Amino acid sequence: YQRRVRGFTLGLISMASLLPHLVLLLFLFIQNVEPQKVLFRTTKGSFIAELNPEASPLATQNFLRYIELGEFNNTIFHRVVDKFMVQGGVYGRDMTLKTKFLEPIANEWQNGLKNIKGTISMARHIGNPNSATRQYFINVNNNLHLDNPQKDGAGYTVFGNVIYGMEVIERISKIETTTKGGLTNVPKNPIVVKSILRIPDNISDVLSFYLNSSGVENVVSDVPKI
């Protein structure tokens, strides 16, 4: 009898250990895996990125959650390296570090997407592959070395790509930078991301939407919460 009880108890423990993974799989199964488009409005112009929830479900949902919370509004591109990338998501206009952080997400670097020009990827702490939160970067070159395992054993997760307005990113990548607040490659004149807005799924002509700058906030404000 005691052996049966012990076996039953161990079985429950095993099932309990699997529960978080089963819940995550169910969550991803019921989520919309259609590409999600988002509009970046910056002081150097606007561009649109298409996120890939099928290949990078965790990074995509994480990014959309920060958008929903308005956490990217009035942030800056704090690291700009010509022929490499532009990075943002965590500093305000005055270089003040943002304080709202969601739980770090697991690295999805083996999803088949590559760090080529125009892709958007999650930044993370060197030495901890599963430390990505709100920082992201946009590749302005084919940075295929970021797809290889780094010293910590993992690469960098690509979760989308710029589909309109890449010239804006290229223009930003060539601005003059300096050292500020202990950080290198900081733009001398702040490049502000005024907002990042999710584009409703019912807008089929995204190019016209991109070209038409009037009434953008009114259109996008009706996007359902995620």
Side-chain angles (χ1 to χ4, degrees), residues 97-161:
L97 186 68
K98 294 292 183 177
T99 58
K100 178 74 173 181
F101 289 88
L102 303 177
E103 286 296 315
I105 58 174
N107 199 314
E108 299 171 293
W109 68 285
Q110 294 178 306
N111 60 12
L113 304 182
K114 304 299 182 184
N115 279 278
I116 59 176
K117 182 177 179 178
T119 53
I120 179 170
S121 305
M122 292 303 300
R124 59 179 178 79
H125 295 301
I126 298 174
N128 185 353
N130 302 313
S131 58
T133 53
R134 58 181 296 158
Q135 290 196 63
Y136 61 90
F137 62 91
I138 301 169
N139 290 292
V140 294
N141 204 350
N142 293 331
N143 298 316
L144 298 182
H145 63 284
L146 298 179
D147 300 325
N148 299 325
Q150 308 297 302
K151 291 182 178 180
D152 54 23
Y156 287 81
T157 299
V158 176
F159 65 101
N161 63 285

